Amino acid sequence: MFTEEDVLKIVNEQRLGMAAYDKKRDKGLKVPQGLKCFYDIRYSNDADECLLDLYKPVRASKKPLPVIVSVHGGGWIYGDKELYRFYCMELSRRGFAVVNYTYRLAPEHKYPSALIDANNVFKWILKNAAAYNLDIKNIFATGDSAGANYLALYAALLSNKNFSQKIPQVKTPARLSLKGLYLNCGMFDWNNFLQNGTGGEHEQSAALLQALMPYGGTELEKEIASPAQHLTKDFPPSFVVTAEFDFLRKSAAFMASRLCEAGADFRYKRYTSSKEKLYHVFMLNLRSKEGKKSIDEQCDWFRSLAN
């Protein structure tokens, strides 16, 4: 176990490193034309940061729009909707209403705060569907890295009654159904993740676990926060994506194997390219040819699942 001071030091170092990378990646990007954007909508009164944006194509038909909910990544300790606005707007440009939201972060807010926030976002969609012309029969979701972890956990709560009883703080809406999940470069099992880490990487991962969990990451906490351990055949159709140089590629492969064992409907793809090196969450780089290809394939797959 780390001291609280050591955990905070690692968290702050991680936050600074990720922020510097994201700023460089998105430098010069602008809001695309052809979208109607609704900003800073409050979806919960639990905290000031519980806000969402909604992006819709301007020239959409009068029919209700299928919905994509984006769960941002950031190692459970970093990130907000502002960092994902360009990525989410690209999804929306392809014919979807996209909900891009901020959730509460560790260590300031411990598990399962972010799952409670996710649940409140989906409740908001169901409650406000008519006002924003949203098709609640076709709700999809995408998440990357820690966001994929949270999204897969939430989907497990919806599809596994035994697991839902382990997190009574999250009472999912009875009429909510997720038509498909796109799980980008995610972490799906804590023990598998920690076993595959080496040196400083393992130390950072252990510190993030301690930052996230109320009791520092007990075996029970690791099991509860590992979606790969709670899969059933009723888990929503899923597309598990990783990349050749993704440091979580083994986690994605493990998730695919567990989905197969559970008899769930899934696809698995490991992106490679002879022209560019594809790293963790490569799809967020909107200047990347393969990143754009991933966005196209994601939206095409969602459309194939729609009613």
Side-chain angles (χ1 to χ4, degrees):
M1 294 284 286
F2 297 90
T3 65
E4 184 177 353
E5 183 179 353
D6 287 339
V7 169
L8 291 176
K9 180 181 178 181
I10 292 173
V11 166
N12 288 330
E13 289 174 349
Q14 290 283 300
R15 285 173 171 172
L16 288 172
M18 286 187 279
Y21 175 82
D22 288 341
K23 184 178 180 180
K24 181 179 179 181
R25 180 196 65 201
D26 293 344
K27 185 177 180 180
L29 295 179
K30 297 180 180 180
V31 174
Q33 296 181 346
L35 295 180
K36 185 174 185 179
C37 302
F38 304 86
Y39 297 109
D40 295 331
I41 301 170
R42 179 159 300 283
Y43 66 83
S44 168
N45 291 320
D46 287 343
D48 290 341
E49 57 263 50
C50 292
L51 301 172
L52 63 82
D53 292 347
L54 175 65
Y55 316 128
K56 298 173 59 178
V58 170
R59 297 183 179 180
S61 73
K62 294 182 180 179
K63 294 175 59 178
L65 281 170
V67 181
I68 300 176
V69 177
S70 172
V71 188
H72 73 75
W76 303 275
I77 52 92
Y78 167 80
D80 56 32
K81 64 184 176 66
E82 309 308 323
L83 294 169
Y84 277 68
R85 64 191 187 280
F86 298 119
Y87 170 70
C88 289
M89 288 174 179
E90 282 299 311
L91 294 173
S92 184
R93 287 181 62 243
R94 288 158 171 81
F96 295 85
V98 177
V99 174
N100 172 27
Y101 74 98
T102 297
Y103 56 79
R104 288 173 291 175
L105 301 173
E108 293 83 1
H109 302 280
K110 299 291 187 178
Y111 186 93
S113 295
L115 287 177
I116 294 171
D117 293 344
N119 195 45
N120 284 329
V121 168
F122 285 105
K123 286 181 178 179
W124 181 91
I125 292 170
L126 295 176
K127 182 179 179 180
N128 294 279
Y132 291 97
N133 202 28
L134 308 178
D135 183 359
I136 61 173
K137 293 182 179 179
N138 287 294
I139 299 177
F140 305 92
T142 184
D144 67 278
S145 199
N149 171 267
Y150 278 140
L151 176 55
L153 281 168
Y154 188 74
L157 289 172
L158 288 172
S159 57
N160 184 336
K161 184 177 180 179
N162 290 333
F163 176 53
S164 68
Q165 293 173 353
K166 295 182 180 181
I167 310 181
Q169 304 96 317
V170 182
K171 299 186 183 301
T172 59
R175 62 192 181 115
L176 175 63
S177 176
L178 299 183
K179 295 296 292 291
L181 313 178
Y182 205 79
L183 302 172
N184 293 318
C185 299
M187 195 294 290
F188 304 105
D189 186 275
W190 274 102
N191 281 324
N192 177 270
F193 179 41
L194 294 171
Q195 289 167 4
N196 285 314
T198 59
E201 183 182 283
H202 182 276
E203 182 180 79
Q204 291 172 357
S205 303
L208 293 178
L209 173 65
Q210 190 171 327
L212 177 64
M213 292 301 173
Y215 299 101
T218 65
E219 287 302 314
L220 178 59
E221 285 179 324
K222 285 190 285 186
E223 186 267 337
I224 289 176
S226 297
Q229 301 303 320
H230 310 294
L231 304 173
T232 70
K233 63 178 179 60
D234 298 319
F235 193 78
S238 301
F239 204 140
V240 181
V241 172
T242 184
E244 185 176 7
F245 297 100
D246 176 18
F247 76 95
L248 289 178
R249 59 190 178 277
K250 291 183 179 179
S251 183
F254 183 75
M255 181 65 166
S257 69
R258 295 288 294 183
L259 286 165
C260 184
E261 291 172 8
D265 181 2
F266 78 99
R267 294 185 181 184
Y268 169 76
K269 183 170 182 176
R270 179 172 170 175
Y271 275 82
T272 62
S273 173
S274 60
K275 296 183 179 180
E276 58 178 316
K277 286 190 174 182
L278 302 179
Y279 293 98
H280 186 60
V281 299
F282 69 97
M283 66 290 301
L284 300 183
N285 181 3
L286 301 183
R287 297 182 176 91
S288 164
K289 181 178 179 180
E290 292 298 322
K292 291 180 180 178
K293 180 180 177 181
S294 172
I295 292 174
D296 286 335
E297 289 189 347
Q298 174 179 179
C299 292
D300 287 344
W301 185 65
F302 285 159
R303 277 190 287 268
S304 75
L305 297 174
N307 288 339

